[in-house]
Amino acid sequence: MGKTLAEKVWDAHVVRRAEGEPDLLYIDLHLVHEVTSPQAFDALRATGRPVRRPDLTLATEDHNVPTIDIDKPIADPVSRAQVEALRKNCAEFDVPLFPLGSAEQGIVHVVGPQLGLTQPGMTVVCGDSHTSTHGAFGALAFGIGTSEVEHVLATQTLPLKPFKTMAVTVHGSLPDGVTAKDVILAVIAKIGTGGGQGYVIEYRGEGVCELSMEGRMTLCNMSIEGGARAGMVAPDETTFAYIEGREHAPRGADWDAALAYWKTLVTDADATFDKEVVIEASELSPFVTWGTNPGQGIPLSGSVPSPEDAADDVERASIERALAYMALTPGTPMREIPVDTVFVGSCTNGRIEDLRAAAAVLEGRQVADGVRMLVVPGSAKVRLQAMSEGLDKVFTQAGAEWREAGCSMCLAMNPDKLTPGERSASTSNRNFEGRQGPGGRTHLVSPQVAAATAVTGRFASPADLAR
Amino acid sequence: MEAFTVHTGTAAPLRRSNVDTDQIIPAEYLKRITRHGFEDGLFKAWRDDSGFVLNQPQYFGVSVLVAGPDFGTGSSREHAVWALQDYGFQVVISSRFADIFRGNSGKAGLLTALVDQDVVERLWALIESDPSTPVTVDLAAQTISAGDVVASFDVDPYVRWRLLEGLDDIGITLQNEADISDFESARPTFTPTTR
């Protein structure tokens, strides 16, 4: 019987397989950042173990770095201690590091692909759940915890039980105005935050194949919000074109050999998935979340749901709590809800294409009075690219703040936070209670909807502005 | 890692579903570079509320948490497990756990006991009517017993074996170091390095 893409990549990395034990899987690329690594390095020191393959390991500073005044010492002592610990650990264990201020610094999931380090058929891990982003290249990429970080540092392997496979097929081309972010929010609303648990999702169908690499990364990035360990898209000409010529891309004969191998990385026609979900592209429209988990989303044209719509008591309680936290009244049209802050950035939507999309909406327009808009590029390189295209000018002329690269307000570990009660339209990935700052109220949207919302001060799509 | 065989302790009912790792411990606490002392961040947003279950004197000293479905969703932070352990929890019982959280728990020695939601409901009723009820979790037998509630639970067999033996992951893997070296020597030349 044939194999799925995920099974092919898995099988190509099994170091050891024994009855009753998890497979021992080889890891091709281990990405490291300052938050989930200090305890792992500490444990290596305590046990006298070296990093087995520093040449397959790469560190960057992203989670709690400031996005202004980056030439000054980090003000928050705890953030500074973490960043300093990473620098010390990378020096001691010989791990390459892109520190704050380096031209290659940025969010770990933006940096890997932009360097050409993320390639089809690889296994990629990082102590961060959004590692699923790299699956856009046909890599098997997933988040791990700190003790697994330690395990990979010490052994370059992980003992793992195979994941189940799920196909999410997007039939047909996406309608105008519908982005990868809208697709994934609709998928999560459909399967629920636990719907993907135990699965690696393969996104397929026209609506997926027609996406750029940036769009595919957005899609795979949020697989974890549907509970899945990983998301993947089979590599194709779009993938190969993106990788070719990048700093760590194979060259010459290696490129030919790699390409020949990559072209085999598709799900066989006779392979079966453990679960299949189908989305009709024609039914999709811009999406926005109303609640406190990414599954609580609806089309922008919809209204805040009521606890009475719940299927059971658990869901009813969940809706009630979410509405209370979000300070929303059932039946309110989403387009009438005012926002205080708009955040464009994160590993979900902080790439160049996202900034271009937001800038295209803002060009010649102004951020509404009383609305704060923050634009935070996903990496220093994305920032420079955007500036070379004049996007920074579009943002600042519209009244938005143009920042340095980092995770920023996605998780509010640096000074970029919502104040209690503040409401945001955010291109990030999580609308959990307090995620963007204690008491902050987050609505997840695409960069296009974020920009249009900044202009009107209420949730809006670019199409609304044209009217 | 200490071996886990049988644990008996009192339990707290957490009547919430979708308790994500941001709720278990906010990102703020991730900045620490130590491995212990995370108990003060556990369920931080709720700890200021005197009505929150862990703030009620009858649930002081609990070591078993009985949680609603989809416990541990969200970020992969292992600090969520450490915070639960530092607070004193040795077992979390739920009808559904997020994968990464469950994996992290197994490695750190926190038992995640998977039961039907019906068992959760019965345990909730029991420990709410009498918070002093001892709950016994027997990992070898895979049973939970408390008052008149006796139920079996699911746990990954490999995790169970490791918990019972108290084995460290890296030590187990390095027993197969030769396999890793063999695999490395056969990797294609086109795979990238970070140098």
Side-chain angles (χ1 to χ4, degrees):
Chain A
M1 199 180 73
K3 289 183 191 175
T4 63
L5 166 62
E7 288 161 345
K8 286 183 183 181
V9 179
W10 182 284
D11 289 349
H13 289 83
V14 175
V15 170
R16 182 173 185 275
R17 181 171 279 170
E19 185 68 27
E21 289 178 30
D23 284 350
L24 191 63
L25 214 64
Y26 198 80
I27 303 302
D28 291 320
L29 177 64
H30 183 194
L31 300 167
V32 171
H33 61 84
E34 76 275 18
V35 176
T36 52
S37 66
Q39 290 91 351
F41 282 112
D42 250 3
L44 290 187
R45 248 188 304 271
T47 50
R49 290 168 175 148
V51 173
R52 182 180 179 92
R53 295 295 301 265
D55 62 328
L56 302 184
T57 311
L58 180 70
T60 176
E61 298 166 2
D62 58 6
H63 275 61
N64 56 31
V65 296
T67 57
I68 42 173
D69 298 332
I70 63 165
D71 52 335
K72 302 198 178 96
I74 299 174
D76 175 31
V78 195
S79 293
R80 194 169 63 235
Q82 271 199 344
V83 167
E84 282 169 0
L86 182 69
R87 290 175 188 176
K88 178 173 151 279
N89 288 329
C90 287
E92 182 181 338
F93 289 93
D94 199 26
V95 170
L97 166 71
F98 295 132
L100 190 58
S102 140
E104 297 294 350
Q105 177 268 342
I107 306 176
V108 69
H109 309 310
V110 178
V111 169
Q114 95 190 355
L115 284 169
L117 275 172
T118 305
Q119 296 174 14
M122 287 172 64
T123 46
V124 181
V125 299
C126 174
D128 186 280
S129 56
H130 294 113
T131 309
S132 57
T133 311
H134 305 265
F137 291 80
L140 183 62
F142 48 93
I144 55 178
T146 299
S147 59
E148 289 172 306
V149 170
E150 180 194 344
H151 198 284
V152 177
L153 288 173
T155 71
Q156 205 58 33
T157 65
L158 270 182
L160 287 167
K161 278 180 48 174
F163 307 141
K164 292 180 285 183
T165 57
M166 182 193 298
V168 170
T169 305
V170 182
H171 268 160
S173 301
L174 300 184
D176 278 350
V178 174
T179 68
K181 184 65 164 282
D182 303 310
V183 175
I184 190 64
L185 287 174
V187 167
I188 300 164
K190 182 168 177 140
I191 68 174
T193 52
Q197 239 152 61
Y199 291 95
V200 47
I201 297 176
E202 182 181 334
Y203 299 97
R204 313 159 48 109
E206 265 181 302
V208 172
C209 296
E210 290 171 8
L211 289 173
S212 64
M213 287 316 296
E214 283 87 349
R216 295 178 191 185
M217 284 190 256
T218 300
L219 195 61
C220 290
N221 171 277
M222 287 190 69
S223 301
I224 181 69
E225 311 309 335
R229 230 13 228 289
M232 301 176 89
V233 176
D236 59 11
E237 294 303 325
T238 304
T239 321
F240 310 145
Y242 182 96
I243 297 170
E244 191 169 13
R246 287 186 188 262
E247 189 178 337
H248 290 274
R251 291 175 205 284
D254 270 347
W255 173 260
D256 297 336
L259 205 58
Y261 173 58
W262 295 348
K263 287 180 175 173
T264 68
L265 297 174
V266 290
T267 291
D268 294 328
D270 57 342
T272 53
F273 290 91
D274 297 310
K275 189 172 172 180
E276 299 215 38
V277 173
V278 175
I279 303 271
E280 293 299 334
S282 60
E283 293 170 9
L284 295 174
S285 63
F287 238 68
V288 54
T289 62
W290 55 268
T292 53
N293 72 59
Q296 291 177 322
I298 48 169
L300 181 63
S301 56
S303 301
V304 176
S306 163
E308 284 161 25
D309 306 335
D312 54 52
D313 286 349
V314 171
E315 193 193 346
R316 181 173 308 116
S318 165
I319 295 177
E320 277 170 0
R321 205 165 43 242
L323 293 181
Y325 182 85
M326 297 296 287
L328 292 174
T329 311
T332 311
M334 293 308 295
R335 282 194 169 94
E336 290 181 9
I337 299 171
V339 305
D340 306 297
T341 291
V342 173
F343 171 66
V344 173
S346 85
C347 60
T348 308
N349 281 124
R351 285 170 285 269
I352 188 66
E353 186 177 89
D354 302 309
L355 301 191
R356 285 177 190 145
V361 176
L362 280 182
E363 178 112 54
R365 295 192 168 104
Q366 286 295 312
V367 174
D369 282 347
V371 172
R372 163 175 70 143
M373 182 176 186
L374 230 64
V375 183
V376 183
S379 71
K381 257 198 179 149
V382 167
R383 185 170 184 275
L384 288 176
Q385 174 68 30
M387 290 170 80
S388 75
E389 296 176 20
L391 305 185
D392 58 321
K393 296 279 186 305
V394 175
F395 290 122
T396 51
Q397 280 165 12
E401 295 176 41
W402 174 247
R403 296 295 189 89
E404 304 280 348
C407 297
S408 178
M409 197 184 270
C410 173
L411 81 171
M413 285 188 75
N414 76 348
D416 308 335
K417 296 181 202 303
L418 295 180
T419 53
E422 224 184 324
R423 187 180 303 283
S424 77
S426 177
T427 66
S428 54
N429 41 56
R430 288 185 175 142
N431 51 344
F432 298 157
E433 291 180 20
R435 169 84 175 181
Q436 295 191 294
R441 298 172 177 140
T442 304
H443 296 264
L444 303 177
V445 293
S446 68
Q448 288 86 336
V449 168
T453 300
V455 171
T456 62
R458 292 164 195 273
F459 289 103
S461 70
D464 297 335
L465 301 182
R467 274 176 207 147
Chain B
M1 197 164 84
E2 252 176 77
F4 187 116
T5 49
V6 179
H7 173 76
T8 300
T10 54
L14 186 64
R15 282 190 178 265
R16 289 172 187 255
S17 60
N18 265 298
V19 173
D20 56 73
T21 51
D22 274 82
Q23 257 56 66
I24 298 173
I25 188 160
E28 195 60 27
Y29 288 84
L30 273 58
K31 292 181 185 174
R32 293 187 182 171
I33 55 174
T34 54
R35 171 67 180 76
H36 292 286
F38 289 96
E39 64 278 2
D40 53 339
L42 181 69
F43 301 129
K44 182 64 185 168
W46 305 331
R47 290 277 283 285
D48 297 331
D49 168 9
S50 61
F52 180 59
V53 63
L54 295 184
N55 290 332
Q56 298 171 22
Q58 63 269 35
Y59 294 112
F60 288 177
V62 288
S63 57
V64 177
L65 185 68
V66 187
D70 292 315
F71 188 82
T73 54
S75 117
S76 62
R77 66 192 65 160
E78 211 154 339
H79 309 64
V81 176
W82 303 340
L84 286 160
Q85 289 181 312
D86 289 349
Y87 186 86
F89 286 111
Q90 299 207 31
V91 184
V92 182
I93 299 171
S94 176
S95 64
R96 209 156 54 212
F97 292 97
D99 292 333
I100 299 180
F101 175 80
R102 210 163 187 222
N104 290 343
S105 298
K107 288 170 201 312
L110 175 72
L111 175 61
T112 52
L114 188 71
V115 298
D116 291 338
Q117 183 60 24
D118 159 63
V119 174
V120 170
E121 303 280 350
R122 282 157 60 209
L123 285 169
W124 278 344
L126 179 72
I127 57 183
E128 279 170 359
S129 69
D130 182 3
S132 69
T133 310
V135 176
T136 296
V137 180
D138 184 332
L139 181 56
Q142 286 184 230
T143 56
I144 297 167
S145 37
D148 58 352
V149 180
V150 179
S152 60
F153 66 86
D154 272 342
V155 58
D156 178 84
Y158 184 72
V159 169
R160 174 176 169 272
W161 169 72
R162 292 207 25 234
L163 287 173
L164 286 171
E165 302 287 329
L167 281 173
D168 155 67
D169 256 351
I170 295 177
I172 297 174
T173 295
L174 288 178
Q175 291 170 352
N176 304 304
E177 208 272 333
D179 293 332
I180 302 174
S181 294
D182 287 350
F183 185 93
E184 282 177 331
S185 58
R187 293 176 77 228
T189 57
F190 58 75
T191 53
T193 69
T194 57
R195 295 286 181 211

